[in-house]
Amino acid sequence: MKRFLNNIIPLSVIIGSSLFVSCAKFVELGAPPTQIEYQDGFLTDAGAQSVILGLYVSATGNANNANLSSMASLYTGVAADDLQYNGADALLLEFYTNGLLSTNGLVNNVWSNLYQLIKNTNNAVAALEASNALTPATKDQLIGEAKFIRAYAYLYLVNLYGDVPLYTADDSGVFESAVLPRTATDRVYEQILSDLKDAETKLDVAYKGTFRGRVNKHAASALLARVYLYRKDYVNAELYASKVLAATDLYSMPAPSVSFTNNSGEIIFQLANINGVTTFAANYFAAGATSIPAYTLPDRHYQSFETAPEEDLRKLNWITPKTVSEKVYYTITKYKSTSPTIGNEYHVVLRLAEQYLIRAEARANQDNRAGAKADIDAVRSRAGLEGVSSNLTATQMLTAIETERLHELFGEYGHRWFDLKRTDRATAVLAPIKPNWQATDVLFPIPNGQRLANNLLTQNLGYED
C-alpha cells in the first residue's frame, strides 16, 4: 500500500530535553524494535513531558531553512511583497517571482515537515489519552500542548495549500496503512478549532518552564482569535482576542527595542532554543560591510512608515539601512543578536500586538469604529505615533489596519501573505509589482513527490502538469 507521506525522516524527541538541561537521551516516535517504543515514554509524568518537549524541538527545527519558523516566514515573505530576496538560489527565486513548480524541493519540505510534526502529535495525543499512569493535571496539560501544536501545523497547511489531507489517528492506523485524499478546507478548520478549544480548556494560565517556551491557556485563545479572524467570524475573533488582552497581569507592550527579547512582556508564546540566538537574525543579517542580507524589507515598505510629526519607532528600531555598492538595503533588525552562540532571543510566535490588531479588525467589521480605533491606537502609541482619525470610514479603517499589520508584523510567520489572501487583496497588491502573478498563486502547488506517492492527491489550479 502506498504511503501518504514521501521520504519522511523519523523525528527524535528529547527525553530531558536540551531546551532545559544539558544531558539528552532520545526516544523515537514509532521506533523500530531496537529502540524505545514511543508508548514507553508515557509511563511517567516526567517521561511524557519530555516527549511533548520534543514536539517543540521539532517545530523549532534545525538552523536556517530546515527550521519551520524560518520556512513559514521566508518563503511566504518573498512570495508576497513582505520580503525582498537578494540571493540567487533557483528554488527561492521561484517563490519570489511567483513561478513555483510542483517539483520545488522547498515546497515539498514545508509539506513534509508539517505532516511529520502532525504525525508525531497524533502519536502523542493517542498515547496520552490511553495512558492510565499519568496524573490527571499533567495529562490534560500535555494533551492541550500537543493539540495546540497540531492545530498550528494544520493552520499553515490549509493556508498554504488549500484542501489538505486530514488525519488525527496514530501511526498504528490510517496514517501507515492508507492513502488519504484532500479534505475540504472547512472540515480542516473544524478540526483546528476543535483542537484549540480543547487545548484552551485543558491548559493552565500559568506558564510551564521558563521564558514562555510552552503554550498556556492564553496562547490557545490567541491562536483561536487568529483562526476566527481568518474565517471572518468577527464576533469570536473579538471574544478570544479580548481574553488575551484582559490578562494585563501577564502581558504588556514594551518599547520596540526590547519587544523580541526572551523576557519581553509582549510574548504570548515563543519557541526556545539552546543559545538564545534565533535563526531569524541570521537570515536577516549579513556580517561585513560588503555582504548583502539575503532577505530585506522592500524599499516601498520602508518608505511607507510615518516620519511626521514623529518617526515610527518600529522603523527606527526594527529596520537598519545598509549601503553596499551604493545601493541601500533595509535590513530587518527586530532580533538584535548577531552572535552565533550567545543571545537572549528566541523565535517569537505569538505576541500581544497581533491581538490588538485582530480585535481592531474584528470590531471594524462589526461597525464598531470607536473600538477599532482604540485598538489600533494602542499599537501606534507603542510605536510613538498619534492615533488614527476618529472620522475614518469603515473602508478607511480597514485600510489603516492592513497598513498597521504590515508595519507591525513584517518578516514574521507569513502574516502579510495570509493577510493578502484572506482579504482577497493579493491580486490587487501583487499583480502590479510581480509580472508573473496569477490569481491562482495564492496557493502553493501540491508537491509532485507527494502526488507520486499518493495518486488521490489532486493538484491546485494553475499548477496542472
Side-chain angles (χ1 to χ4, degrees), residues 388-409:
V388 296
S389 170
S390 300
N391 299 319
L392 295 181
T393 66
T395 299
Q396 289 171 332
M397 185 70 74
L398 290 171
T399 299
I401 293 167
E402 180 183 310
T403 300
E404 209 60 44
R405 287 182 66 90
L406 171 63
H407 289 168
E408 183 69 33
L409 301 171

Side-chain angles (χ1 to χ4, degrees), residues 47-167:
Q49 177 174 268
S50 294
V51 174
I52 298 307
L53 293 180
L55 297 178
Y56 290 105
V57 174
S58 69
T60 306
N62 299 315
N64 302 320
N65 291 345
N67 175 324
L68 284 177
S69 302
S70 295
M71 290 192 294
S73 299
L74 302 180
Y75 304 166
T76 54
V78 299
D81 61 343
D82 195 25
L83 296 177
Q84 174 177 303
Y85 178 59
N86 304 309
D89 185 286
L91 296 181
L92 284 166
L93 285 171
E94 288 184 17
F95 287 89
Y96 192 47
T97 60
N98 302 108
L100 276 174
L101 301 176
S102 63
T103 54
N104 187 297
L106 301 180
V107 175
N108 186 74
N109 287 347
V110 175
W111 175 289
S112 296
N113 289 347
L114 285 170
Y115 270 113
Q116 180 64 43
L117 183 57
I118 289 166
K119 170 185 174 179
N120 290 324
T121 58
N122 289 345
N123 285 344
V125 169
L128 284 165
E129 291 179 339
S131 176
N132 296 316
L134 306 179
T135 60
T138 298
K139 182 174 179 176
D140 277 353
Q141 172 72 25
L142 299 181
I143 290 173
E145 291 182 74
K147 287 191 172 184
F148 175 97
I149 293 170
R150 182 167 67 188
Y152 188 82
Y154 269 122
L155 182 60
Y156 273 85
L157 279 166
V158 79
N159 278 280
L160 292 173
Y161 300 99
D163 297 349
V164 292
L166 174 67
Y167 76 100

Side-chain angles (χ1 to χ4, degrees), residues 363-386:
R363 287 174 164 177
N365 277 288
Q366 297 175 85
D367 202 30
N368 178 2
R369 278 174 275 175
K373 171 179 163 53
D375 287 333
I376 298 171
D377 290 353
V379 177
R380 289 174 60 82
S381 176
R382 189 267 291 273
L385 302 174
E386 295 179 345

Side-chain angles (χ1 to χ4, degrees), residues 76-86 96 284 293-305 315 318-321 327-332 406-407 410-411 416 429-430 433-434:
T76 54
V78 299
D81 61 343
D82 195 25
L83 296 177
Q84 174 177 303
Y85 178 59
N86 304 309
Y96 192 47
Y284 294 149
Y295 306 91
T296 53
L297 192 70
D299 294 9
R300 61 187 171 278
H301 286 176
Y302 180 80
Q303 302 302 334
S304 72
F305 281 84
K315 177 182 179 181
W318 294 350
I319 310 166
T320 303
K327 178 175 174 55
V328 179
Y329 297 90
Y330 296 104
T331 304
I332 297 171
L406 171 63
H407 289 168
F410 65 89
R416 176 64 170 174
V429 172
L430 300 178
I433 60 175
K434 297 211 174 214

Side-chain angles (χ1 to χ4, degrees), residues 158-180:
V158 79
N159 278 280
L160 292 173
Y161 300 99
D163 297 349
V164 292
L166 174 67
Y167 76 100
T168 56
D170 68 6
D171 255 0
S172 63
V174 65
F175 176 81
E176 288 294 330
S177 63
V179 174
L180 298 178

